[in-house]
Amino acid sequence: MSESDPLLVVVDGANVVGSVPDGWWRDRRGAAERLRDRLAADGVPGHPGPVEIVLVVEGAARGVDPVPGVRVESAPGSGDDHMVRLVADAGERPVLVVTADRELRRRVVELGAEVAGPRTVRPA
């Protein structure tokens, strides 16, 4: 990858959606779609340059469609494992993972990613 590759932002959909008790558990897919739409509209605050946003969904949120500006990947198994694979596959490209999950943060930092909490993309 070259220096011109945009920042890859991997968003832990379940973790970000679950960070605010707004009734998301009644409609997990709908909550993931709202997050996707917010990401498409607002991008990633603090990162105005070109970014590639990947929203990783799992469980009941699988099958959420992508929209322009946000690629959606349904994890075939563990969402955490899928996000770790995305980071590993990015090679030297800069990566930001948005999650509050401590173990996931540890795993992706070991691979060279930066991490940020859910409030980065979802104000409380």
Side-chain angles (χ1 to χ4, degrees):
M1 298 282 170
S2 72
E3 287 183 19
S4 63
D5 286 326
L7 174 68
L8 175 62
V9 179
V10 179
V11 179
D12 182 347
N15 188 270
V16 172
V17 164
S19 69
V20 177
D22 62 359
W24 59 265
W25 52 88
R26 291 189 292 269
D27 181 9
R28 293 170 194 258
R29 184 183 176 106
E33 289 171 341
R34 289 188 297 279
L35 174 58
R36 175 206 59 200
D37 294 347
R38 186 177 313 109
L39 290 166
D42 299 341
V44 181
H47 297 280
V51 297
E52 178 184 355
I53 301 172
V54 179
L55 174 62
V56 175
V57 296
E58 59 187 305
R62 282 190 185 103
V64 169
D65 292 324
V67 296
V70 179
R71 187 170 93 221
V72 180
E73 292 203 9
S74 295
S78 159
D80 289 3
D81 290 346
H82 190 73
M83 287 179 274
V84 169
R85 271 192 301 279
L86 288 172
V87 172
D89 290 347
E92 297 298 314
R93 181 177 182 185
V95 180
L96 174 67
V97 176
V98 180
T99 186
D101 182 301
R102 286 184 183 170
E103 177 61 14
L104 176 59
R105 290 169 77 105
R106 182 194 64 74
R107 292 172 68 191
V108 298
V109 165
E110 286 179 354
L111 294 171
E114 292 185 35
V115 294
R119 288 185 184 161
T120 303
V121 296
R122 182 176 183 160

Short mmCIF file of all heavy atoms in Angstrom, two decimals, residues 26 28 39 46 72-73 88 108 112-113 117 121:
data_model
loop_
_atom_site.label_atom_id
_atom_site.label_comp_id
_atom_site.label_asym_id
_atom_site.label_seq_id
_atom_site.Cartn_x
_atom_site.Cartn_y
_atom_site.Cartn_z
N ARG A 26 -34.04 -3.86 20.82
CA ARG A 26 -35.34 -4.23 20.25
C ARG A 26 -35.27 -4.40 18.73
O ARG A 26 -36.12 -5.06 18.14
CB ARG A 26 -36.39 -3.19 20.61
CG ARG A 26 -36.73 -3.20 22.09
CD ARG A 26 -37.92 -2.31 22.41
NE ARG A 26 -37.62 -0.89 22.23
CZ ARG A 26 -37.16 -0.08 23.19
NH1 ARG A 26 -36.94 -0.55 24.39
NH2 ARG A 26 -36.94 1.19 22.95
N ARG A 28 -31.91 -4.74 16.46
CA ARG A 28 -30.45 -4.69 16.25
C ARG A 28 -30.09 -4.31 14.82
O ARG A 28 -29.17 -3.53 14.60
CB ARG A 28 -29.82 -6.03 16.62
CG ARG A 28 -29.92 -6.30 18.11
CD ARG A 28 -29.51 -7.73 18.46
NE ARG A 28 -29.91 -8.07 19.80
CZ ARG A 28 -29.11 -8.09 20.84
NH1 ARG A 28 -27.84 -7.80 20.70
NH2 ARG A 28 -29.56 -8.40 22.04
N LEU A 39 -22.63 7.26 9.88
CA LEU A 39 -21.25 7.22 9.38
C LEU A 39 -21.19 7.78 7.96
O LEU A 39 -20.26 8.52 7.62
CB LEU A 39 -20.71 5.80 9.41
CG LEU A 39 -20.44 5.20 10.79
CD1 LEU A 39 -20.24 3.70 10.69
CD2 LEU A 39 -19.25 5.88 11.45
N GLY A 46 -12.76 14.38 13.23
CA GLY A 46 -11.33 14.44 13.52
C GLY A 46 -10.48 13.82 12.43
O GLY A 46 -9.26 13.88 12.48
N VAL A 72 -20.17 -2.35 4.43
CA VAL A 72 -20.66 -3.13 5.56
C VAL A 72 -20.24 -4.58 5.35
O VAL A 72 -20.47 -5.14 4.28
CB VAL A 72 -22.20 -3.05 5.70
CG1 VAL A 72 -22.67 -3.87 6.89
CG2 VAL A 72 -22.65 -1.60 5.85
N GLU A 73 -19.60 -5.14 6.37
CA GLU A 73 -19.20 -6.55 6.31
C GLU A 73 -19.88 -7.31 7.43
O GLU A 73 -19.77 -6.93 8.59
CB GLU A 73 -17.68 -6.68 6.41
CG GLU A 73 -16.97 -6.11 5.21
CD GLU A 73 -15.60 -6.69 5.00
OE1 GLU A 73 -15.22 -7.67 5.69
OE2 GLU A 73 -14.89 -6.15 4.13
N ALA A 88 -5.16 -7.01 9.98
CA ALA A 88 -3.99 -7.77 9.53
C ALA A 88 -3.83 -7.66 8.01
O ALA A 88 -2.72 -7.52 7.51
CB ALA A 88 -4.11 -9.23 9.95
N VAL A 108 -5.76 -5.50 18.11
CA VAL A 108 -5.50 -4.70 16.91
C VAL A 108 -4.31 -3.75 17.11
O VAL A 108 -3.59 -3.47 16.16
CB VAL A 108 -6.75 -3.94 16.42
CG1 VAL A 108 -7.83 -4.93 16.02
CG2 VAL A 108 -7.25 -2.93 17.43
N GLY A 112 -0.63 -2.94 14.95
CA GLY A 112 -0.26 -1.60 14.48
C GLY A 112 -1.40 -0.63 14.28
O GLY A 112 -1.18 0.51 13.85
N ALA A 113 -2.63 -1.03 14.60
CA ALA A 113 -3.77 -0.12 14.45
C ALA A 113 -3.83 0.87 15.62
O ALA A 113 -3.34 0.59 16.70
CB ALA A 113 -5.07 -0.91 14.36
N GLY A 117 -12.62 5.17 21.01
CA GLY A 117 -13.86 4.71 21.61
C GLY A 117 -15.09 5.03 20.78
O GLY A 117 -15.02 5.81 19.82
N VAL A 121 -17.57 8.18 16.98
CA VAL A 121 -18.55 8.17 15.88
C VAL A 121 -19.99 8.23 16.37
O VAL A 121 -20.91 8.35 15.57
CB VAL A 121 -18.37 6.94 14.98
CG1 VAL A 121 -17.03 6.96 14.28
CG2 VAL A 121 -18.56 5.64 15.74
#
